Amino acid sequence: MKILLLDKNHPLITEQLIAKNFILEEDFTSSYDEVCDKIGNYDGIIIRSRIPLDQNFLEKGKNLKFIARVGAGMENIDIPVAEKLGIQLINSPEGNRDSVAEHVVGMLLVIMNRLFIASQEVKNGIWKREENRGDELLGKTVGLIGYGNMGKATAKRLSGFGCKVIFHDILPDLSDEYATQVSLEELKQSAEVLSLHIPLTSETHYLIDENFIAEMKNDFYFVNTARGKNVKTKSLVEGLKSGKVKGTCLDVLEYEKSSFENIEAENENLKYLLESEKAIVTPHIAGWTHQSKEKLAQFIVDKIVASHC
């Protein structure tokens, strides 16, 4: 089988697939139109996020047997068209679930204990103790929306901090030793920390908006390591200003480029987040550890080999 790699990934993908007699070609620079012109020559494609695989693209890939996304999110692919054309869709959320979970915990510890703020103050000759009292995770009720690979890994870690972890998911009967499944209404009534672990779909676009925030019974900390457009930033900023949102940790932003490579728009809401002591913002790196790079690639290779060797 002839496979096209459209994004740079761990070299083990190329090494191991060539060893299994796949033919691999790399193209990390061609435009969408240029790739469309040649995609019909390939049996498989391995991607991250650089090029959208829309209906036009998929129909030109007349010989495609599979699309492998190194990562979890599949929103860059027109899934209904791919399924209609009989193209197998492969992803590897198992590969970075641990790094995402650790990132969630790390951001919460930083913001709830004012670690970054206090450290910067001391470095600038300011010694404040009372003003930098922390807020403990112990005893908090943490609500997760989405209980797939990322949600489960996050629940496992937070349960170790003595949190009560609850979650809402569209699939039934997912409760385990780390978290209890509840309705969305119950989650809104109980959660003191809210963390998103969901894909971006028409149903989850702007899931967190002014109405959702108003329906939360408790003032709460908010974490998003899922997709930026799951959240209406304007509403989140209003929640921070009012105090309803006690603090926010964002690894993803509504204003990111679809490739996740940078921010495509700047405005007052983003400016507020970047300047506020109540917000921590990281550049879409929750799933971006040295270990996850290798694990993401290995899961992809294993799944391709299992299906096509």
Side-chain angles (χ1 to χ4, degrees):
M1 297 182 74
K2 193 175 181 181
I3 302 174
L4 177 64
L5 286 79
L6 279 181
D7 301 271
K8 292 182 179 179
N9 284 293
H10 197 285
L12 73 80
I13 292 179
T14 301
E15 294 165 3
Q16 294 187 19
L17 289 179
I18 288 176
K20 291 289 185 178
N21 297 316
F22 290 90
I23 300 168
L24 272 73
E25 294 183 7
E26 298 177 346
D27 186 344
F28 305 146
T29 58
S30 290
S31 68
Y32 168 88
D33 289 333
E34 289 169 333
V35 177
C36 278
D37 288 341
K38 65 179 181 179
I39 193 59
N41 299 323
Y42 298 92
D43 301 291
I45 185 169
I46 299 176
I47 65 166
R48 288 199 68 92
S49 306
R50 186 170 69 87
I51 289 180
L53 276 57
D54 57 14
Q55 181 173 348
N56 174 63
F57 185 101
L58 296 173
E59 288 177 347
K60 288 181 181 295
K62 57 185 182 296
N63 292 312
L64 283 177
K65 309 297 188 301
F66 72 85
I67 297 166
R69 159 70 159 105
V70 183
M74 305 286 274
E75 70 272 12
N76 229 27
I77 304 167
D78 191 326
I79 294 175
V81 171
E83 291 175 342
K84 182 180 178 181
L85 294 172
I87 302 171
Q88 180 190 15
L89 299 178
I90 302 168
N91 65 344
S92 54
E94 307 92 340
N96 60 356
R97 60 190 172 193
D98 297 312
S99 60
V100 169
E102 291 187 12
H103 199 88
V104 170
V105 174
M107 288 198 297
L108 280 172
L109 291 173
V110 167
I111 200 160
M112 293 175 68
N113 292 283
R114 296 177 59 86
L115 298 181
F116 181 76
I117 297 165
S119 176
Q120 288 299 111
E121 287 177 350
V122 173
K123 289 180 179 182
N124 288 313
I126 301 167
W127 189 271
K128 293 181 179 179
R129 298 185 67 221
E130 185 60 35
E131 295 87 343
N132 284 311
R133 278 191 186 272
D135 193 6
E136 294 180 5
L137 268 171
L138 177 67
K140 294 281 193 299
T141 297
V142 180
L144 310 178
I145 301 183
Y147 206 63
N149 282 281
M150 314 302 176
K152 290 175 183 177
T154 301
K156 181 178 180 180
R157 284 154 179 81
L158 288 171
S159 66
F161 279 83
C163 297
K164 177 183 178 182
V165 186
I166 58 177
F167 69 89
H168 174 71
D169 195 283
I170 59 174
L171 298 177
D173 304 321
L174 298 177
S175 294
D176 58 22
E177 61 188 301
Y178 304 115
T180 302
Q181 189 161 7
V182 299
S183 68
L184 191 57
E185 291 69 29
E186 186 175 343
L187 185 145
K188 290 176 182 177
Q189 286 294 307
S190 302
E192 299 163 279
V193 178
L194 177 65
S195 185
L196 299 188
H197 302 277
I198 50 178
L200 179 61
T201 67
S202 56
E203 289 77 23
T204 64
H205 185 267
Y206 283 170
L207 175 66
I208 308 302
D209 60 9
E210 59 273 17
N211 293 326
F212 193 107
I213 292 170
E215 290 166 0
M216 292 286 288
K217 180 181 178 181
N218 302 308
D219 296 346
F220 65 100
Y221 295 95
F222 176 68
V223 185
N224 189 14
T225 55
R227 287 292 182 262
K229 289 183 172 61
N230 292 139
V231 181
K232 184 184 284 188
T233 309
K234 183 176 185 294
S235 302
L236 177 61
V237 168
E238 290 170 354
L240 288 165
K241 289 179 177 178
S242 72
K244 183 69 178 183
V245 181
K246 298 168 73 174
T248 189
C249 306
L250 304 173
D251 183 55
V252 290
L253 292 166
E254 179 184 353
Y255 314 115
E256 280 181 82
K257 292 182 177 180
S258 60
S259 64
F260 310 140
E261 290 302 314
N262 213 321
I263 294 169
E264 65 180 357
E266 295 185 14
N267 53 48
E268 287 302 309
N269 293 317
L270 177 61
K271 186 173 185 290
Y272 177 87
L273 291 174
L274 298 181
E275 294 178 353
S276 174
E277 289 189 347
K278 297 170 72 175
I280 292 175
V281 184
T282 52
H284 206 130
I285 56 169
W288 208 250
T289 60
H290 296 291
Q291 292 81 6
S292 71
K293 182 177 183 180
E294 181 172 350
K295 288 189 285 186
L296 285 166
Q298 191 64 64
F299 274 107
I300 283 293
V301 168
D302 292 346
K303 291 179 181 181
I304 291 172
V305 169
S307 298
H308 300 282
C309 276

